[in-house]
Amino acid sequence: MNPQGGANSARLIVLAGRVITPHGVSPLHRKPDGIVISDGRIAAMHYAEDPPDIHATILDFRPFTIAPGILDLHVHGGHGIDFAATDMNGLAEFARKRVSSGTTGVLATIALPWDALLEQTAHYGRWLEDPSEDLGIFLGLHIEGPF
């Protein structure tokens, strides 16, 4: 990806005391001190030795840490909400509360007797496709067996 972005792209540089990357907290070869966001996506790591970008907006969050969002791939609910027994309002409430903790994706897990499982799965199919609720945190549905 081109970290410079297009001619009209808004660039944002977010500086931090530490940056957690797929390689750990600080790669051995170079230690990033921030991230570069272009067109709403992380485009590159930022390093102290990078030349200044006079066109970018800079947010300085040093000494705090930048970390990737958490993907929770097996969760039955939380915040008083049971995914096997909730409705779309419960999912929306869960999503609002969970994103504040750094979770950016959830695979909702349900385990029910067969007939109830089929019914709840059909509900999830409708709920997760409904654009009227902000349920973007939900990546899909994990159905537990045995089958």
Side-chain angles (χ1 to χ4, degrees), residues 36-59:
V36 178
I37 300 173
S38 182
D39 296 322
R41 295 184 167 267
I42 297 174
M45 302 305 299
H46 185 271
Y47 299 91
E49 63 269 16
D50 288 347
D53 183 342
I54 61 171
H55 301 291
T57 300
I58 297 176
L59 298 177

Side-chain angles (χ1 to χ4, degrees), residues 10-144:
R11 288 175 39 81
L12 175 67
I13 297 173
V14 183
L15 301 175
R18 292 187 323 157
V19 178
I20 299 175
T21 73
H23 308 289
V25 174
S26 56
L28 297 176
H29 58 287
R30 294 172 73 196
K31 182 179 178 186
D33 71 344
I35 57 174
V36 178
I37 300 173
S38 182
D39 296 322
R41 295 184 167 267
I42 297 174
M45 302 305 299
H46 185 271
Y47 299 91
E49 63 269 16
D50 288 347
D53 183 342
I54 61 171
H55 301 291
T57 300
I58 297 176
L59 298 177
D60 191 341
F61 287 102
R62 292 176 285 193
F64 299 105
T65 300
I66 292 176
I70 304 300
L71 297 178
D72 194 341
L73 300 179
H74 187 119
V75 60
H76 290 267
H79 310 286
I81 297 159
D82 178 355
F83 290 158
T86 194
D87 59 14
M88 189 161 66
N89 293 329
L91 292 180
E93 181 181 345
F94 176 90
R96 283 189 300 275
K97 290 179 177 179
R98 186 53 67 99
V99 296
S100 68
S101 68
T103 301
T104 58
V106 169
L107 192 57
T109 303
I110 60 174
L112 291 164
W114 185 251
D115 290 340
L117 182 66
L118 291 177
E119 183 178 340
Q120 191 71 341
T121 300
H123 291 315
Y124 270 88
R126 288 189 302 278
W127 297 337
L128 297 179
E129 300 254 333
D130 187 339
S132 67
E133 288 289 338
D134 186 12
L135 300 178
I137 189 174
F138 289 96
L139 305 172
L141 182 63
H142 172 219
I143 302 170
E144 286 191 338

